[in-house]
Amino acid sequence: MIAPLRRHDAADPKAALRSRSAYGLWQEAVEIRQEWLAYGLSTQPADRRTAEHSLTSIYARLSRGRPRFVWVDSPERAIPLVTGLPTLDRLYEWIRDSRPRGTPPLAGDLAMVGSQLRGALSAGVAHADPELSPARKDKRNGQWPELPPLKAIEAGVPLGVVLHRGVRAALHRSLAHGFRTPVRNTLAGRGPVPVCWYGQQDAGWVAYYDTLHRLGLAAYRPDDLEHLGDWAALTRSCGWWWPGEDVCVVVERPELVLTEPVSGAWHDEVRLRRGGVRYRDGWHPLLA
């Protein structure tokens, strides 16, 4: 079981990069990535106490009090309880409106705070972080070649680029494209789905910054590290969640997850098999 995020900063992340080989750092990163992939696909019952504590801390950063938590066994069971929360289209309309009316939706504030956190964490990375802008090979804006990780390192692709592709992007392919998108599409076939966060399937960005920190390649400010710790604990603790002003609906983790390797992938990416997810109330969204 992965340890919680360490509450200290690397004194000199650039020194860590100089003193350890890129190959060794990459192998460590693969182990960390697989830990987070296991959380993203976990079928263990939710750790409700930890999830509620982390969500309360995140709400506090939005100047909101502790919500009432409602737990359900599947995303399908959540939909009737989140009617009235904004859809993504509605949220974008509110953001684009030069004079929006009413109180900003909590989902918008949450998205903004999350974006600010990722920007602050990227500022603590020892190298130019590809999360902020695509890494360029030269002044002509040439892209670094897409290669298997060890060959990429041999070819001189910066370790930061290899880590971003092999941790951040790889987990996104497995947990977003390979899991949550097909499940969400099943829900969306019945009508608009309000904006939600994905708990264990949000592991991609959390794992990326955790990996950099654990490898000694990033030094985060104490408050940013604590904030990341809340998201990491949440990712390790529960499934999807819908934040409302007074009520937060949280989904249990599924009871069955069956995956298959993505053909031709370089970073152990997986996707759900047909019928490969079943929730604790029997909802089996991908049987067709």
Side-chain angles (χ1 to χ4, degrees), residues 182-211:
V183 174
R184 186 181 175 92
N185 286 346
T186 300
L187 284 178
R190 305 177 186 181
V193 178
V195 173
C196 77
W197 277 255
Y198 297 97
Q200 66 190 111
Q201 277 103 50
D202 278 330
W205 72 268
V206 175
Y208 173 63
Y209 290 111
D210 178 45
T211 299

Side-chain angles (χ1 to χ4, degrees), residues 146-261:
E146 295 278 354
L147 296 168
L150 296 182
K151 289 186 178 180
I153 293 172
E154 290 175 4
V157 177
L159 178 62
V161 174
V162 177
L163 290 171
H164 191 266
R165 291 173 177 174
V167 177
R168 176 71 161 101
L171 285 173
H172 186 78
R173 283 191 291 271
S174 292
L175 298 176
H177 299 307
F179 192 120
R180 74 189 194 208
T181 297
V183 174
R184 186 181 175 92
N185 286 346
T186 300
L187 284 178
R190 305 177 186 181
V193 178
V195 173
C196 77
W197 277 255
Y198 297 97
Q200 66 190 111
Q201 277 103 50
D202 278 330
W205 72 268
V206 175
Y208 173 63
Y209 290 111
D210 178 45
T211 299
L212 295 177
H213 186 252
R214 290 167 64 181
L215 294 181
L217 302 180
Y220 306 139
R221 296 178 302 184
D223 185 61
D224 296 331
L225 187 61
E226 182 178 358
H227 192 182
L228 176 61
D230 290 331
W231 284 94
L234 186 59
T235 301
R236 292 192 296 263
S237 302
C238 68
W240 299 11
W241 51 282
W242 277 265
E245 289 290 344
D246 302 310
V247 177
C248 184
V249 178
V250 192
V251 179
E252 267 283 354
R253 289 187 282 211
E255 68 174 3
L256 174 72
V257 172
L258 300 174
T259 63
E260 60 187 13

Side-chain angles (χ1 to χ4, degrees), residues 19 58 61 63 65 84 86 116 149 186 196 199 201 234 249 269 278:
S19 64
I58 291 170
R61 290 181 179 273
S63 300
Q116 290 172 343
T186 300
C196 77
Q201 277 103 50
L234 186 59
V249 178
E269 291 97 325
R278 183 177 67 240

Side-chain angles (χ1 to χ4, degrees), residues 148-149 170 173-174 260-270:
R173 283 191 291 271
S174 292
E260 60 187 13
V262 174
S263 177
W266 294 329
H267 303 292
D268 301 316
E269 291 97 325
V270 297

Side-chain angles (χ1 to χ4, degrees), residues 263-286:
S263 177
W266 294 329
H267 303 292
D268 301 316
E269 291 97 325
V270 297
R271 63 189 176 197
L272 288 175
R273 289 163 45 183
R274 176 175 293 184
V277 59
R278 183 177 67 240
Y279 286 85
R280 296 180 187 276
D281 58 357
W283 188 53
H284 215 158
L286 304 181

